[in-house]
Amino acid sequence: MKTESDHYDVLVAGGGQAGLIAAIVAAEKGARVCLLEGAPRTHRGGNTRHTRNLRPMHIGPLSVLSGTYDEAEYWDDLMRVTKGKTNETLARMTLRQSTEAVDWLEARGVQFQPPLGGTLHLGRTNAFFMGGGKQLLNALYRHADKLGVEVHYDAMVTSVEISEGRFKSLQVGHHTISANAFVAAAGGFEANIEWLKEAWGDIAENFLIRGTPYNRGDLLRMLLDAGARQTGEPNQCHAVAIDGRAPKFDGGICTRVDCVSLGIVVNRNAERFYDEGEDFWPKRYAIWGRLVADQPDQVAHVIIDQKARGAFMPPVFPAVVADTIGELAQKIGLDPATLEKTVADYNAAVQPGKFDHTELDGVHTSGLAVNKTNWARTLDHPPYSAYCLRPGITFTYLGVEVSEKAQMQMADGTESPNIFAAGEIMAGNVLGQGYLAGIGMTIGNVFGRIAGREAADYALNR
Amino acid sequence: MRSTDKTTEAARVMSICNACRYCEGHCAVFQAMELRLEFNSDTLDYLANLCHNCGACYHNCQYAPPHEFQLNVPAAMAELRQENYGVYAWPGFMGKLFANNGLWVSFLSIVVITLFLCGTAILTWDDFFSAHENAFYGVISHDVLAAMFGAVGGFVLLALLVSIVKFWRTMNLPSPFRLDYPRVMQGIKDALSLKYLDGGNGQGCSYPSETPSMARRWFHQMTFWGFMLCFAATSSATVLHYGFDLPAPYRYLSLPKLFGILGGLGLTVGPAGLLILKARADAAPKGKTNKGMDVSFLVLLFLTSLTGLCLMFVRDTQYVGVMLSIHLGVVMTLFLSMPYGKFVHGFYRLIALIVFAVEKNDHKQVVGVCPDKKAA
């Protein structure tokens, strides 16, 4: 890699939404900016490539958003998923400033999807990028190019020189670049299995990584080693149950399996282990990754019958299909007798009721060690289908602590004058646990803008 | 139901798209896809002909190469279109002409233009390089022209009509008399406005590059309306000739002339623009097996209008014989290649858009559910 200069006003590490926005804002303020993206051009943008929407607060209809989504409701949603694991000052600031996100992006060429029917039932709380996050990236990279931001691909930071909390320079291979201000936006560490194993133990070997293979957390580790204050726990992450046949990395959204609540889920021993009918999609989607991670070999199988076909999002891999439960068990490597008994016990425990998948219908089983509390229908219409499940990690929450100015906080209580952080590397400040659809992009958007502004002001002595 | 490499790949691609759905805002292909869980060849032919090859879904795809899913919707659809144009061609064996379109159209044009040049040279002999009192009818008489183009035109119409009927049946549409006309009008409107070259929210499609642009839509409109105006010029001239006993040549302020000049200009700028865009466009979303089909059609359209405009200027000079022969040769090649070249896309796309309007209205799939076929 060869940069045009050895010194910049603002140096940004990470070319996802947060880093790009920081680079753009800094360039718009007149700073000379260099953006280092660790991935090759084809895989640029980190996990933003796999995203689809962000969640902005708004009073009244806003651009592609309908109705009102005010601070109180947004705050409640955030509290529900994080159970209070958040920095209230930063979180409330994020919610408030998220209102400008859509306009800000649209003004720089990003296209949003007008509300349609289809799968966009979230048109009130979430603004959907036309075509997905890659479209947002393409538009922002074009805009950054127009502003003269110098972008380098395959530019993974290999070391950072920080002295008394102040950024001096960094290295990409043998090349050293210095800058007045530094924005760290290089993502989390979910693609670093060794690091995941430190938190989860050996079971992390069996995790699938849904996002970019380039989020190895190298920069995060360097910052922590240089004395940054840590926020979040290493085992806190967004983990969902995805198709076990998904690629090890980069499978993205299409690997989801959306029929857990329509059937039963069994582990390697052909036994049920959790209430499949506990709650609606967002909640059950976010919990099943951890549930499957706790099972032997980190594997589970969801089993449905013919009644459920076509009632859920089409999975990317075909189901394993058989005419009897025993045959199905054989095909997916479970003990036929045990699975037959599990299904028979479950069927016998199903109580009568009016099945309605659009609401918590209360149709349940009774008398089982693990009951299903909603949508409990007997499995008796062949052919039967099975999908293999494994834990899929989307992103991690462990990061560096920041101030309202996106300034990195040091473990000794001081704050770094010229290091700023945005995106997944600091998202844990706001989202300490749980998951709220689209809030990762919201945090990246808000803190990207703050980091870019503050870094440019510092670098240009304003 | 047909099963080929192209349908298998298109089905694989659609299955991944159907599980992702990020592109549903872009165009009709993805909304039509969402009504389905499985993709047979009828459905895939429908989706392929709904695809305008705008490239948006490719440039915005998280699974595009080098991702291991190797997802390239526009390419899969383009390659399948080339295959299914052949499938619906009539007579059937002529469908093979789609496989190497550019090559045979090039040969045909050389042969036909040469024949016209030789033919008129032999007919007019010493007068070949002379001006004629009644312009081009002095080179070839109106009756010979009418007979020649009438016969070819008749065959072309028949071949197109049978192909369209075959496609119509596959699309599971009822007879034209039992159609839901508000839906049909919606389909026609979407086709005429090139709605699905708008990128999904009016900013234009990702062609020739990922940057949204209206260029393709405008050039395509100029091509289409240029063609229609040239068609109107010929039709109005026919009416004047037979209906009012007013044979060519016509004055500049006459219907055939006004239609012809405007149309000729549109049909020069449009195809030229599309050819330039095509040359500059990203290679990946275009697919691999087009074999010059688009280019040969655009070149023929361009040459038709260019030679037609030239003919207008030289019709009273000694070059009328040469120019007329070249123009007629190009037009004849265009005619002959119509049922076996890119020209057919207009009909299939229009029908697919009508089906889409019906499906969208009823929120129910129409294509690919024919029970008789499944039994067969």
Side-chain angles (χ1 to χ4, degrees):
Chain A
M1 190 194 74
K2 188 87 191 83
T3 48
E4 281 169 28
S5 168
D6 292 332
H7 184 84
Y8 292 86
D9 295 328
V10 175
L11 190 55
V12 181
Q17 186 209 210
L20 255 176
I21 288 179
I24 286 171
V25 169
E28 285 174 352
K29 290 188 76 106
R32 191 154 177 238
V33 183
C34 180
L35 173 74
L36 304 171
E37 162 62 309
R41 192 187 187 287
T42 50
H43 279 70
R44 66 182 181 183
N47 278 334
T48 303
R49 193 161 57 92
H50 291 296
T51 64
R52 192 184 194 188
N53 56 57
L54 57 77
R55 180 182 284 255
M57 180 180 121
H58 57 106
I59 310 297
L62 170 75
S63 181
V64 294
L65 294 153
S66 61
T68 287
Y69 188 54
D70 64 13
E71 186 178 335
E73 185 181 357
Y74 202 158
W75 179 254
D76 285 348
D77 286 344
L78 187 63
M79 278 303 101
R80 215 177 48 245
V81 299
T82 59
K83 310 263 193 288
K85 274 200 180 179
T86 184
N87 175 326
E88 177 158 359
T89 312
L90 295 182
R92 287 201 182 269
M93 185 189 79
T94 304
L95 307 194
R96 287 176 198 142
Q97 296 194 20
S98 69
T99 303
E100 300 130 43
V102 174
D103 280 352
W104 192 94
L105 291 168
E106 280 184 326
R108 285 151 188 86
V110 174
Q111 299 179 40
F112 284 84
Q113 192 170 321
L116 292 171
T119 52
L120 294 190
H121 51 279
L122 297 174
R124 184 174 71 89
T125 55
N126 292 54
F128 287 69
F129 314 129
M130 178 71 82
K134 201 170 162 192
Q135 182 266 127
L136 171 142
L137 289 167
N138 291 341
L140 291 185
Y141 271 104
R142 282 198 298 274
H143 191 76
D145 192 48
K146 265 188 254 166
L147 291 168
V149 172
E150 193 183 321
V151 176
H152 293 277
Y153 299 107
D154 295 303
M156 202 68 95
V157 175
T158 45
S159 69
V160 182
E161 192 197 343
I162 294 170
S163 152
E164 292 171 359
R166 176 181 292 273
F167 174 83
K168 299 287 185 191
S169 67
L170 57 71
Q171 283 199 308
V172 177
H174 298 297
H175 194 72
T176 304
I177 313 165
S178 59
N180 294 353
F182 177 60
V183 177
F189 62 93
E190 64 275 3
N192 187 337
I193 305 289
E194 290 306 311
W195 194 339
L196 289 176
K197 277 163 76 173
E198 286 175 25
W200 291 82
D202 285 342
I203 64 168
E205 289 280 0
N206 290 328
F207 292 178
L208 302 174
I209 313 306
R210 301 177 80 201
T212 178
Y214 295 92
N215 276 10
R216 300 188 35 81
D218 294 349
L219 184 63
L220 173 60
R221 179 66 86 189
M222 289 171 213
L223 295 178
L224 292 174
D225 289 349
R229 180 183 283 175
Q230 176 178 319
T231 186
E233 304 299 322
N235 69 347
Q236 282 304 330
C237 61
H238 183 218
V240 301
I242 61 171
D243 196 301
R245 296 160 291 181
K248 181 73 179 171
F249 294 100
D250 227 11
I253 189 67
C254 78
T255 56
R256 72 185 147 201
V257 177
D258 181 25
C259 57
V260 163
S261 61
L262 291 164
I264 62 167
V265 179
V266 297
N267 60 19
R268 191 192 61 184
N269 305 327
E271 286 158 352
R272 289 177 61 243
F273 54 89
Y274 197 81
D275 177 6
E276 302 90 345
E278 184 181 56
D279 207 341
F280 279 110
W281 167 253
K283 181 167 179 200
R284 67 173 191 264
Y285 185 67
I287 63 171
W288 279 86
R290 280 166 190 282
L291 293 172
V292 175
D294 287 340
Q295 297 306 309
D297 292 344
Q298 292 68 54
V299 67
H301 303 269
V302 53
I303 294 163
I304 56 171
D305 71 356
Q306 189 60 20
K307 294 194 292 289
R309 303 291 314 163
F312 54 97
M313 282 286 290
V316 70
F317 299 106
V320 176
V321 181
D323 285 326
T324 66
I325 293 291
E327 188 192 338
L328 188 70
Q330 253 163 359
K331 280 188 174 175
I332 58 178
L334 302 186
D335 177 54
T338 317
L339 187 62
E340 277 168 356
K341 180 173 184 322
T342 299
V343 171
D345 290 349
Y346 165 79
N347 283 347
V350 170
Q351 302 300 306
K354 193 173 178 325
F355 173 84
D356 184 352
H357 201 220
T358 63
E359 56 173 33
L360 294 169
D361 64 2
V363 179
H364 62 278
T365 61
S366 79
L368 296 174
V370 177
N371 278 308
K372 187 175 176 184
T373 51
N374 288 290
W375 311 304
R377 282 193 297 190
T378 50
L379 295 174
D380 49 12
H381 276 65
Y384 303 97
S385 301
Y387 296 96
C388 171
L389 299 177
R390 282 194 182 281
I393 313 298
T394 309
F395 49 83
T396 50
Y397 295 166
L398 173 75
V400 295
E401 197 172 307
V402 293
S403 71
E404 283 171 74
K405 290 184 170 181
Q407 255 170 321
M408 194 173 84
Q409 305 294 294
M410 307 303 288
D412 61 13
T414 60
E415 61 190 21
S416 168
N418 69 343
I419 303 178
F420 304 85
E424 190 184 338
I425 204 167
M426 51 61 63
N429 286 275
V430 177
L431 193 66
Q433 71 171 43
Y435 175 64
L436 197 56
I439 199 170
M441 289 297 279
T442 303
I443 297 168
N445 189 289
V446 169
F447 276 89
R449 283 183 280 141
I450 297 172
R453 184 185 71 218
E454 296 297 330
D457 283 351
Y458 179 86
L460 301 172
N461 274 321
R462 284 196 284 232
Chain B
M1 295 284 168
R2 191 169 93 248
S3 177
T4 64
D5 290 354
K6 305 295 179 209
T7 59
T8 306
E9 170 62 5
R12 180 190 78 87
V13 161
M14 278 294 104
S15 301
I16 297 172
C17 291
N18 208 14
C20 168
R21 298 192 172 185
Y22 279 16
C23 280
E24 68 182 349
H26 275 310
C27 77
V29 170
F30 300 99
Q31 293 171 51
M33 167 197 82
E34 287 183 10
L35 291 177
R36 297 162 160 83
L37 292 176
E38 280 158 1
F39 302 96
N40 58 34
S41 69
D42 287 0
T43 300
L44 292 166
D45 286 351
Y46 163 52
L47 297 176
N49 282 290
L50 270 182
C51 169
H52 291 48
N53 198 248
C54 81
C57 61
Y58 172 79
H59 291 294
N60 296 338
C61 182
Q62 57 186 315
Y63 303 115
H67 191 281
E68 67 177 90
F69 285 168
Q70 296 282 317
L71 215 61
N72 189 337
V73 178
M77 293 306 178
E79 293 179 18
L80 180 59
R81 271 197 303 282
Q82 202 229 13
E83 175 179 287
N84 65 45
Y85 289 165
V87 168
Y88 295 106
W90 181 88
F93 65 89
M94 296 285 275
K96 292 196 185 87
L97 291 176
F98 284 97
N100 246 327
N101 196 270
L103 190 66
W104 80 261
V105 172
S106 305
F107 274 127
L108 183 71
S109 60
I110 292 167
V111 170
V112 174
I113 293 169
T114 309
L115 281 176
F116 266 100
L117 279 169
C118 295
T120 46
I122 291 165
L123 278 173
T124 51
W125 207 242
D126 284 350
D127 287 338
F128 188 56
F129 282 107
S130 309
H132 298 275
E133 205 175 303
N134 48 355
F136 34 81
Y137 292 150
V139 184
I140 306 177
S141 79
H142 178 269
D143 291 347
V144 172
L145 273 179
M148 212 157 40
F149 279 88
V152 171
F155 169 75
V156 166
L157 271 182
L158 178 70
L160 284 174
L161 193 68
V162 178
S163 307
I164 291 166
V165 169
K166 282 165 86 174
F167 187 72
W168 185 281
R169 292 209 170 127
T170 306
M171 292 301 103
N172 249 351
L173 283 176
S175 94
F177 305 105
R178 290 196 289 119
L179 280 173
D180 179 1
Y181 275 93
R183 301 286 88 71
V184 173
M185 288 313 296
Q186 183 61 50
I188 292 173
K189 202 178 135 207
D190 292 346
L192 291 183
S193 64
L194 297 172
K195 173 165 171 34
Y196 295 107
L197 289 183
D198 79 347
N201 53 4
Q203 303 197 5
C205 63
S206 305
Y207 191 97
S209 70
E210 68 174 39
T211 310
S213 161
M214 283 292 181
R216 178 132 172 259
R217 210 173 174 194
W218 287 118
F219 284 128
H220 191 291
Q221 288 294 27
M222 280 191 244
T223 306
F224 176 77
W225 291 107
F227 182 87
M228 295 310 276
L229 284 169
C230 289
F231 188 69
T234 312
S235 309
S236 57
T238 308
V239 171
L240 288 177
H241 184 94
Y242 290 108
F244 298 89
D245 199 21
L246 287 170
Y250 299 104
R251 288 176 298 120
Y252 279 100
L253 279 177
S254 62
L255 272 187
K257 259 298 180 350
L258 289 175
F259 283 149
I261 292 171
L262 263 180
L265 287 175
L267 205 47
T268 317
V269 176
L274 289 176
L275 279 168
I276 291 167
L277 288 182
K278 183 166 280 295
R280 286 171 42 195
D282 283 311
K286 287 193 286 193
K288 278 179 291 205
T289 62
N290 197 291
K291 304 281 187 196
M293 176 165 71
D294 296 354
V295 174
S296 69
F297 182 53
L298 288 169
V299 168
L300 281 176
L301 289 176
F302 177 78
L303 290 179
T304 297
S305 49
L306 185 71
T307 57
L309 290 170
C310 288
L311 185 58
M312 186 174 73
F313 292 117
V314 303
R315 71 177 187 196
D316 296 323
T317 72
Q318 65 191 52
Y319 301 109
V320 64
V322 176
M323 207 63 237
L324 180 71
S325 306
I326 295 173
H327 180 62
L328 292 180
V330 173
V331 175
M332 184 62 92
T333 310
L334 177 67
F335 267 45
L336 286 168
S337 65
M338 271 178 177
Y340 313 111
K342 187 68 189 180
F343 183 72
V344 298
H345 85 280
F347 299 102
Y348 298 155
R349 188 148 294 155
L350 172 65
I351 293 168
L353 285 166
I354 291 171
V355 176
F356 177 68
V358 173
E359 286 197 344
K360 195 175 179 182
N361 186 60
D362 302 345
H363 208 71
K364 202 175 86 184
Q365 84 177 91
V366 171
V367 184
V369 290
C370 182
D372 299 335
K373 279 197 178 172
K374 269 182 190 154

